[in-house]
Amino acid sequence: MKTMFKILASVIFIGFATQINAQKVFSTKSGQLLFNASGGIETIAAVNNQVDSKLASATGQFVIAALVKGFKFENQLMEDHFNENYMESTKFPSSDFKGYITNIKDIDFSKDGTYTANFDGNLTIHGVVQKVTTKGQIKVKQGKPTISGEFSIKLKDYGISGSYIGDKIAGVVTIRVNCTYQN
Amino acid sequence: MHIQKILFVFSLTFIVFKVNSQSVDLFAEKYNGQSSNIITATFKSTRVVNGQSIENVGTGIMDFRISHRFGAISQGSYNLFGLDQATMRIGLDYGITNRLMIGVGRSTYEKQYDGFLKYKIIQQQDGERYIPFGISYVASSIYKTLKDLSTSYVPYASDRFSFAHQILIASKINDFVSVQLTPTLVHYNLVENNTIPNDFKSIGISSRIRLSKRVNVTSEYFHRIDKLAGYYNPLSLGIDIETGGHVFQLHVSNSNGMTERTFINETTGSWAKGDLCFGFNITRAFTIKKPKELRGIKW
């Protein structure tokens, strides 16, 4: 009985260990998203430091999700306009990207280093889904990956409108991602 | 002992199961699960028309506010429908924290200086922690510097003060309608004679209705419970227009005071007699202190 138990336990242990190695999920709830929509003299930029993100090392599945209301601006009035007039955050409370790192096989999460990652997936902003393909960087340090990257979107692709867009507010917005994951 | 082992094995299987299920599909998982969501932008500005709204200016933001009130439109063309009789107030408001703001101002009416502080006690929230309304407290003091005509009594400096305490209870019902109740107590340090009390209670009712992304209609009415004879309850109707960093508030009112004491207790005009005054507020927000999240970010 005792040996039976030992065998059983070790089998399960091995199973458990390999599962973790093969399908590790990295996650964070304090990722950072920044965007810059400055069109003219005024700086229109915001940051959200409570971004939810997960990354599966085996499949390359990658999700990043942010609450629209979590973006902080320099100016409260801008923040209110952003929520009420442009993003309509009561109707569309969150924005997310769901996709894959297509070259996940090239990234070794057990080895420190800097890797280039190709992202391919769907970006949902203001309730509109668009395909996005972009490059980013994955830095692995002591088993903890950090994803960083920058890409731009056209506001009109996401149905965001207003008379200031193209004037005070840039029509093309730069988005910057910065997420350090726990393992 | 035996039972313990079985339990151990069972728990291990459970862990394995959990790890497996977690790695199945990240897309199907829930994100940004948060317990509550603070309701913002109940009103467009820190004032509804004359009175305080539940809104504060943001942390580190300085709001420069110019208010004009003209005379009664019913005065006709001789005074250019009241435009010859402008009173004005310039003020600076500042957000110390996201709950506390202070402000100072100077009105031409009675050469008043005023200062106030406003604190958000409860913020309206939805989600898991549901609070259907917000509560703020405003304390303001007004110092009148107009020289008195009376010669029989030389007033002390303290006689020139009056105070107002207000509780703001506001609810953003939906994206289009917000309402606010404002129980108010106004205290005069000096009144004209001993038959007049020093404390005056009143209750305000304000609303904001959103017409479009940039245009809102506001209303503000104060019902006086204790009344000074010869004055009327103030009723104001306004339009808030937003343009980027500015908010324009245009309104008609039977009052042309801009400090609590003046517009709540000492409104000289009457809607019934057509004593309507046109007025406007213009605000411009300046960032004095950047939020710390945004410091040191280069584009």
Side-chain angles (χ1 to χ4, degrees):
Chain A
M1 189 59 209
K2 212 166 188 183
T3 32
M4 264 287 278
F5 166 71
K6 273 184 183 162
I7 292 164
L8 197 64
S10 51
V11 165
I12 291 166
F13 254 120
I14 292 160
F16 175 57
T18 47
Q19 282 292 342
I20 275 205
N21 259 342
Q23 296 191 309
K24 188 147 191 173
V25 176
F26 295 103
S27 72
T28 179
K29 285 196 181 297
S30 56
Q32 188 185 54
L33 263 182
L34 293 126
F35 72 80
N36 189 352
S38 309
I41 32 171
E42 213 169 16
T43 310
I44 302 168
V47 61
N48 186 334
N49 288 328
Q50 273 122 35
V51 176
D52 232 358
S53 180
K54 276 182 184 171
L55 165 66
S57 66
T59 55
Q61 248 189 350
F62 172 70
V63 177
I64 183 161
L67 285 175
V68 176
K69 269 201 167 178
F71 282 94
K72 288 277 156 279
F73 286 72
E74 254 186 55
N75 188 322
Q76 176 78 48
L77 206 58
M78 263 183 209
E79 200 172 305
D80 289 348
H81 291 172
F82 170 74
N83 279 298
E84 248 192 352
N85 299 342
Y86 295 100
M87 296 296 281
E88 301 176 80
S89 62
T90 42
K91 244 196 272 177
F92 311 109
S94 72
S95 292
D96 59 39
F97 174 86
K98 288 180 177 177
Y100 289 91
I101 298 171
T102 48
N103 62 334
I104 193 75
K105 295 279 168 284
D106 304 341
I107 299 153
D108 185 353
F109 289 95
S110 58
K111 213 169 96 190
D112 284 10
T114 306
Y115 308 88
T116 303
N118 300 320
F119 295 89
D120 187 2
N122 292 323
L123 180 63
T124 310
I125 297 176
H126 192 239
V128 178
V129 187
Q130 294 284 356
K131 267 202 104 52
V132 166
T133 311
T134 185
K135 271 192 198 327
Q137 207 182 50
I138 297 184
K139 212 182 237 172
V140 178
K141 206 179 165 193
Q142 291 162 344
K144 285 183 185 174
T146 299
I147 291 185
S148 56
E150 200 174 287
F151 64 103
S152 22
I153 59 154
K154 277 200 189 100
L155 290 183
K156 72 168 198 287
D157 291 348
Y158 295 88
I160 300 166
S161 61
S163 52
Y164 291 110
I165 293 172
D167 178 27
K168 278 182 178 168
I169 302 167
V172 178
V173 172
T174 312
I175 299 174
R176 200 183 276 171
V177 185
N178 217 325
C179 293
T180 300
Y181 298 84
Q182 310 301 314
N183 48 8
Chain B
M1 193 63 195
H2 206 72
I3 290 168
Q4 269 183 345
K5 274 178 195 163
I6 291 169
L7 272 177
F8 184 54
V9 172
F10 258 106
S11 60
L12 275 179
T13 355
F14 184 65
I15 292 168
V16 172
F17 171 72
K18 242 201 119 159
V19 168
N20 263 336
S21 75
Q22 207 173 41
S23 52
V24 169
D25 186 13
L26 293 185
F27 296 169
E29 287 184 30
K30 278 207 154 183
Y31 294 90
N32 292 315
Q34 59 155 198
S35 56
S36 58
N37 169 31
I38 291 172
I39 304 291
T40 55
T42 306
F43 285 88
K44 279 286 98 178
S45 183
T46 56
R47 316 299 153 94
V48 182
V49 173
N50 289 313
Q52 298 278 359
S53 80
I54 195 134
E55 291 305 316
N56 280 20
V57 293
T59 315
I61 306 285
M62 168 99 79
D63 207 20
F64 180 53
R65 172 174 287 268
I66 300 175
S67 314
H68 265 82
R69 303 291 181 269
F70 297 104
I73 299 164
S74 59
Q75 289 174 339
S77 60
Y78 181 67
N79 278 330
L80 196 62
F81 306 96
L83 256 63
D84 286 353
Q85 292 180 316
T87 55
M88 68 166 295
R89 177 184 180 274
I90 41 175
L92 282 177
D93 297 346
Y94 183 72
I96 296 173
T97 71
N98 62 358
R99 283 175 182 262
L100 177 68
M101 75 178 270
I102 54 167
V104 289
R106 167 71 149 83
S107 321
T108 56
Y109 179 77
E110 288 187 340
K111 302 187 187 296
Q112 290 172 344
Y113 287 94
D114 66 275
F116 72 90
L117 68 84
K118 176 153 63 173
Y119 187 75
K120 286 184 182 176
I121 301 167
I122 293 171
Q123 290 172 293
Q124 186 181 353
Q125 294 178 21
D126 63 11
E128 222 169 81
R129 195 195 305 153
Y130 174 65
I131 305 173
F133 53 82
I135 298 176
S136 287
Y137 167 69
V138 186
S140 58
S141 64
I142 299 149
Y143 184 72
K144 165 185 156 186
T145 61
L146 185 73
K147 288 191 177 107
D148 287 279
L149 296 173
S150 155
T151 48
S152 58
Y153 173 74
V154 182
Y156 295 104
S158 62
D159 292 341
R160 296 175 174 276
F161 272 103
S162 55
F163 302 93
H165 299 275
Q166 297 182 297
I167 300 286
L168 316 176
I169 306 160
S171 180
K172 187 177 188 175
I173 294 164
N174 53 40
D175 264 4
F176 297 95
V177 181
S178 303
V179 290
Q180 182 179 300
L181 274 181
T182 317
T184 302
L185 178 74
V186 174
H187 174 88
Y188 293 77
N189 271 4
L190 180 72
V191 287
E192 258 175 59
N193 60 56
N194 57 10
T195 59
I196 301 171
N198 288 78
D199 294 333
F200 292 84
K201 291 185 284 297
S202 56
I203 185 154
I205 300 160
S206 319
S207 72
R208 165 222 174 185
I209 296 161
R210 180 169 159 169
L211 293 187
S212 74
K213 280 186 174 181
R214 302 198 171 273
V215 180
N216 294 271
V217 172
T218 54
S219 73
E220 180 181 88
Y221 173 71
F222 275 85
H223 182 78
R224 296 171 304 148
I225 296 161
D226 306 312
K227 292 174 184 168
L228 264 177
Y231 295 105
Y232 297 89
N233 290 339
L235 170 66
S236 313
L237 300 174
I239 298 173
D240 288 3
I241 302 166
E242 292 177 83
T243 62
H246 299 275
V247 177
F248 289 98
Q249 299 182 295
L250 312 174
H251 37 82
V252 285
S253 173
N254 56 335
S255 167
N256 55 13
M258 284 157 283
T259 50
E260 278 69 20
R261 183 197 111 193
T262 324
F263 73 81
I264 298 169
N265 291 317
E266 298 165 32
T267 292
T268 49
S270 149
W271 275 78
K273 291 179 190 159
D275 302 328
L276 300 184
C277 309
F278 173 68
F280 62 84
N281 304 335
I282 300 173
T283 68
R284 171 79 212 187
F286 297 95
T287 305
I288 302 296
K289 221 172 83 191
K290 261 192 187 186
K292 61 175 179 298
E293 294 95 330
L294 281 164
R295 279 178 217 154
I297 289 164
K298 290 268 179 314
W299 286 94

